[in-house]
Amino acid sequence: MAPRPLRQADLSGVRGVFTDVDGTLTTGHKLRSETVRALERLTASGLRVVLVSGRPAGWGEAWARQLPVDGVIVENGGLFFHKGAKGALRKVYLEPPTQRAAHRQRLEREVQRVLAQVPGARLSVDSRYTEVDLAVDYNEEVRLGDEGASRIESLLRARGVTAVRSSVHVNCWLGRFDKLSASRRFAKVAWGEELDPADGRYVYAGDSFNDAPMFQAFKLGVGVANVRAVLDRIDAPPAFITRAPEGRGFEELARALLARRRTVRSRGVAT
């Protein structure tokens, strides 16, 4: 089913936003000041904001400390950061240490074997800052195109590695986690609540293949307009779509959420 326009979404019960970063918050690979301001306005209004990205743990720690957000999930769900009861930043992994170490060793071997089979393929520059997953660059520093990205995914999956594309990388990992399972764990650990993506309390915003589990689960799954480029190939499309692409699309979503929040409050309805 094709996504519906964002204006048709019922945002009246929304308490927060989970959002992808690359291609969803960023515009042309940059984070615009207007998009940061949108994050500020959302959190200032009382809405929770959690970033959910394939980027490395090192990036996640910086985002959690410097951006106006409640938490950051990184490495496609491998770990997350949130503020503890006394404001200290807490880091939580989805897998125990021994399992992470074993998976990491095998993952590095399998990825190197695949890189040797695809001319021009290489690890992303930021893979050195990862702890759980690795990323093969196909659309950031190099240009392998859809054919190259698909071959990398296919070869990795044939070796038992989970592999899924973002807008810039083929992210790969070993372990039973993804963006959705990590979001559920985050809500339990950080907020003490069970996350039910189908109840309309949280929006998920994204733009690419690795957002499919979130789009499938969230009643309010919102794709920024550039998601149209992959709609014919994504496992699960978003329920709604913005008019604008990338960060401007997220800003459009933020305006809609804030306008709806003002309307609800003016009617004296608790949020």
Side-chain angles (χ1 to χ4, degrees):
M1 183 181 295
R4 291 171 285 164
L6 177 61
R7 66 177 181 275
Q8 295 182 16
D10 179 4
L11 304 176
S12 59
V14 172
R15 294 176 55 184
V17 181
F18 289 81
T19 180
D20 175 54
V21 178
D22 285 290
T24 302
L25 291 184
T26 61
T27 301
H29 306 295
K30 303 293 184 182
L31 189 59
R32 301 167 66 245
S33 60
E34 294 87 347
T35 309
V36 176
R37 183 62 182 138
L39 293 172
E40 291 175 337
R41 289 180 175 135
L42 289 171
T43 54
S45 76
L47 290 171
R48 295 163 167 170
V49 179
V50 180
L51 308 186
V52 190
S53 175
R55 290 293 187 175
W59 290 42
E61 181 176 352
W63 288 339
R65 293 186 185 279
Q66 297 177 349
L67 291 178
V69 296
D70 294 83
V72 179
I73 299 167
V74 284
E75 303 197 23
N76 284 285
L79 67 151
F80 60 79
F81 297 88
H82 76 98
K83 297 291 177 57
K86 296 183 179 180
L89 193 64
R90 184 182 176 195
K91 183 179 186 180
V92 179
Y93 296 93
L94 270 284
E95 295 185 324
T98 54
Q99 192 171 37
R100 288 200 312 273
H103 280 166
R104 183 72 176 194
Q105 290 177 2
R106 181 186 160 206
L107 179 64
E108 290 176 350
R109 291 195 304 269
E110 301 294 2
V111 170
Q112 288 302 321
R113 286 168 179 151
V114 168
L115 292 179
Q117 298 180 65
V118 182
R122 70 185 194 194
L123 287 175
S124 65
V125 172
D126 63 5
S127 277
R128 69 186 63 186
Y129 310 116
T130 62
E131 295 187 45
V132 179
D133 80 350
L134 289 170
V136 180
D137 190 347
Y138 81 92
N139 192 39
E140 190 169 44
E141 306 293 334
V142 301
R143 296 291 182 268
L144 298 182
D146 283 343
E147 184 177 348
S150 295
R151 177 161 170 73
I152 292 165
E153 286 178 297
S154 178
L155 290 169
L156 286 167
R157 289 171 182 169
R159 304 194 71 87
V161 176
T162 300
V164 64
R165 259 184 276 181
S166 71
S167 58
V168 290
H169 298 156
V170 176
N171 295 109
C172 44
W173 66 92
L174 294 165
R176 299 182 64 180
F177 60 82
D178 57 15
K179 287 186 172 186
L180 180 58
S181 60
S183 296
R184 293 184 189 276
R185 179 80 177 276
F186 180 94
K188 186 69 173 177
V189 171
W191 303 328
E193 66 179 58
E194 299 292 337
L195 176 65
D196 181 357
D199 66 11
R201 291 185 303 151
Y202 292 95
V203 173
Y204 180 75
D207 77 304
S208 196
F209 297 99
N210 62 340
D211 297 309
M214 303 293 271
F215 287 151
Q216 184 174 42
F218 277 72
K219 175 183 177 181
L220 295 175
V222 177
V224 291
N226 42 300
V227 77
R228 293 187 189 280
V230 300
L231 282 180
D232 61 337
R233 291 166 290 154
I234 197 169
D235 290 342
F240 303 96
I241 193 166
T242 63
R243 293 187 302 275
E246 299 191 297
R248 289 181 174 85
F250 183 84
E251 293 160 30
E252 179 185 331
L253 170 60
R255 289 193 297 271
L257 286 166
L258 293 168
R260 185 56 183 164
R261 196 161 179 80
R262 287 192 294 270
T263 299
V264 170
R265 284 178 169 172
S266 69
R267 292 174 180 171
V269 178
T271 58

